[in-house]
């Protein structure tokens, strides 16, 4: 049996494996050179002009200026020492609602002398009934007290730590203030002026109720406090639209006159005299026709026969 004849490669032919390797290298080259390498430079176009921030330019810098505004008290509570419990006072049964308010205020060293006189029922003083709201987020209520003295109100907030009563807020506010709680936050509203109101936002910071925000809002003119009093002349109610005042018939000049007052510079129409009506006269041809002689107009134009009056008997 004859041995197999070896396959002969055609001159100039390229193996298939070499072609596949070349195709893979070509694709890798395109991917490598078709995108920028990490950290490489690229052209983002022309440079964008940088505008410096505006700054205030004082007028008349040589004159004396007003002193700088005082530093806000917002967030400054963390610099104050932590509050201390009210001495010689414990909450019965670890229940803050069981504490007597007058006893609490009398033993609190932060209560002023004016507030202590309010405890004795002075003129113009009032100790409001306490309110209980959770202001620390622990699910237990805090005690909120308001002591009104002539010209101002002191707001106190107490919490319970163990069986000791801890003051966490004391603030002076105006007598006609408003207060509300939103979740565990306390909001106070004070009319600063007749057109503005100050809103203060207090929040528990782990040690006390701290002032986190305070702003002044415009509220317009306030209505009079006494419902029986009228607002000042020219002010009117808040948001009211002034109405046009029209004079009455008695106040208007010339009321009841037959003819209105003529405007200057405009000619007035003159009355024309009445013209006598002209009676229709038929033509001679129509007067000689039988239709006209039978018409009522012809009958009315003929003289009527004189009435015959019977002669009286002798």
């Amino acid at each position: 049996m004859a041995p197999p004849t070896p396959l002969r490669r055609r001159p100039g032919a390229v193996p298939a494996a070499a072609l596949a390797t070349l195709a893979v290298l070509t694709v890798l080259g395109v991917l490598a050179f078709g995108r920028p390498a990490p950290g490489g430079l690229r052209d983002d176009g022309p440079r964008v002009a940088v505008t410096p921030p505006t700054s205030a330019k004082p007028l008349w810098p040589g004159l004396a200026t007003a002193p700088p505004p005082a530093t806000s008290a917002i967030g400054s509570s963390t610099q104050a020492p932590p509050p201390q419990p009210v001495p010689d006072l414990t909450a019965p049964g670890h229940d803050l609602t069981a504490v007597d308010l007058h006893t609490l205020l009398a033993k609190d060293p932060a209560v002023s002398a004016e507030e202590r006189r309010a405890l004795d029922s002075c003129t113009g003083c009032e100790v409001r009934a306490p309110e209980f709201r959770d202001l620390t987020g622990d699910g237990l209520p805090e005690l909120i007290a308001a002591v009104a003295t002539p010209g101002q109100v002191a707001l106190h907030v107490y919490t319970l730590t163990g069986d000791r009563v801890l003051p966490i807020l004391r603030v002076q506010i105006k007598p006609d203030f408003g207060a509300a709680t939103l979740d565990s936050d306390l909001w106070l509203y004070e009319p600063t002026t007749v057109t503005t109101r100050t809103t203060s936002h207090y929040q528990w910071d782990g040690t006390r109720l701290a002032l986190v925000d305070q702003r002044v809002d415009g509220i317009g003119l306030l209505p009079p406090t006494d419902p029986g009093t009228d607002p000042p002349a020219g002010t009117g109610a808040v948001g009211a639209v002034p109405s046009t005042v029209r004079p009455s018939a008695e106040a208007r000049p010339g009321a009841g006159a037959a003819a209105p007052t003529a405007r200057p510079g405009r000619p007035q129409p003159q009355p024309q005299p009445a013209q006598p009506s002209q009676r229709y006269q038929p033509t001679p041809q129509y007067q000689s026709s039988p239709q006209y002689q039978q018409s009522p107009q012809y009958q009315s134009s003929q003289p009527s026969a004189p009435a015959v009056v019977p002669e009286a008997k002798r």
Side-chain angles (χ1 to χ4, degrees), residues 132-142 144 181-185:
F132 297 92
R133 305 289 176 88
D134 180 17
L135 298 177
T136 59
D138 58 354
L140 299 177
E142 274 65 49
I144 307 173
T181 57
L182 181 60
D183 292 336
S184 296
D185 296 355

Side-chain angles (χ1 to χ4, degrees), residues 1 23-24 40 45 59 61 96 109 134 139 148 151 168 175 216 226 274-275 286 309:
M1 184 175 180
V24 171
L59 298 175
L96 190 58
D134 180 17
I168 57 176
V216 178
D226 187 3
Q275 300 292 336
Y286 181 68
V309 178

Side-chain angles (χ1 to χ4, degrees), residues 9-31:
R9 182 179 301 174
R10 188 175 55 184
V14 180
L19 291 176
T21 304
L22 180 61
V24 171
L25 292 177
T26 302
V27 172
L28 293 177
V30 171
L31 295 177

Side-chain angles (χ1 to χ4, degrees), residues 11-307:
V14 180
L19 291 176
T21 304
L22 180 61
V24 171
L25 292 177
T26 302
V27 172
L28 293 177
V30 171
L31 295 177
F33 293 100
R35 60 182 181 181
L41 299 177
R42 63 180 181 181
D43 187 6
D44 289 337
R47 182 183 60 182
V48 179
V50 179
T51 304
T54 58
S55 58
K57 298 179 180 180
L59 298 175
W60 305 288
L63 301 179
T65 59
T71 305
S72 175
I74 298 177
S76 61
S77 61
T78 56
Q79 307 297 330
Q84 299 299 319
V86 177
D88 303 328
L89 182 67
T90 57
H94 299 265
D95 185 8
L96 190 58
T97 61
V99 176
D100 182 70
L101 179 59
H102 283 70
T103 304
L104 173 60
L105 295 174
K107 293 187 176 183
D108 187 358
V111 175
S112 63
E114 290 80 7
E115 296 177 71
R116 297 185 187 278
R117 284 195 293 269
L119 300 178
D120 298 332
S121 302
C122 64
T123 303
C125 301
E126 179 189 7
V127 179
R128 298 186 180 181
E131 293 278 353
F132 297 92
R133 305 289 176 88
D134 180 17
L135 298 177
T136 59
D138 58 354
L140 299 177
E142 274 65 49
L143 187 151
I144 307 173
V147 182
T149 58
Q152 64 182 359
V153 175
L155 188 73
H156 298 267
V157 181
Y158 299 91
T159 189
L160 200 63
T161 170
D163 61 347
R164 304 298 302 274
V165 180
L166 186 70
I168 57 176
L169 177 66
R170 181 186 182 275
V171 61
Q172 295 282 350
I173 51 182
K174 295 183 178 297
D176 47 355
F177 77 100
T181 57
L182 181 60
D183 292 336
S184 296
D185 296 355
L186 176 65
W187 296 80
L188 301 180
Y189 311 98
E190 302 176 76
T192 309
T193 63
V194 294
T195 57
T196 58
R197 181 183 67 178
T198 301
T199 302
S200 303
H201 177 199
Y202 292 87
Q203 194 175 63
W204 175 251
D205 64 357
T207 304
R208 57 171 56 84
L209 287 178
L211 180 63
V212 296
D213 184 31
Q214 190 175 62
R215 67 177 186 270
V216 178
D217 302 320
I219 57 176
L221 294 178
L222 296 178
T225 55
D226 187 3
T229 59
D230 295 331
T235 58
V238 179
V241 179
S243 59
T244 304
V245 179
R246 301 179 181 274
S248 60
E250 292 78 4
R252 289 195 301 265
T261 305
R263 295 183 179 180
R266 178 179 298 181
Q268 296 298 318
Q270 300 296 330
Q272 299 294 333
Q275 300 292 336
S277 59
Q278 297 180 359
R279 189 175 180 180
Y280 170 71
Q281 299 293 335
T283 60
Q285 292 82 1
Y286 181 68
Q287 291 180 1
S288 60
S289 65
Q291 293 83 358
Y292 177 74
Q293 295 177 1
Q294 297 177 1
S295 63
Q297 184 178 7
Y298 174 78
Q299 299 294 335
S300 61
S301 61
Q302 297 300 320
S304 59

